Amino acid sequence: MTFNSLTLFIASISTLMIIFSVSKIFFKSKKRSAESIYKLIDDLEKKYIY
């Protein structure tokens, strides 16, 4: 069986796109906005300092 180079190229590109999409979704949940970080710091200050 012979492989067409175009088919192999399309398969590799689509695999890379799927891996990139999954990794982007996985790492998206770990991001925090600046407002949530400031709120977290403020809550910790209230809890442990005051």
Side-chain angles (χ1 to χ4, degrees):
M1 198 159 57
T2 61
F3 287 105
N4 189 357
S5 62
L6 183 61
T7 305
L8 186 61
F9 178 72
I10 291 173
S12 64
I13 293 296
S14 61
T15 304
L16 287 174
M17 287 174 57
I18 290 170
I19 291 171
F20 178 73
S21 299
V22 169
S23 65
K24 193 167 178 79
I25 290 169
F26 179 70
F27 289 119
K28 183 179 180 184
S29 63
K30 295 191 175 203
K31 285 186 179 177
R32 286 185 174 241
S33 67
E35 293 176 2
S36 67
I37 293 173
Y38 291 141
K39 185 180 181 312
L40 178 65
I41 292 171
D42 191 41
D43 291 342
L44 290 172
E45 284 179 347
K46 287 178 184 174
K47 184 176 180 181
Y48 291 109
I49 294 176
Y50 300 116

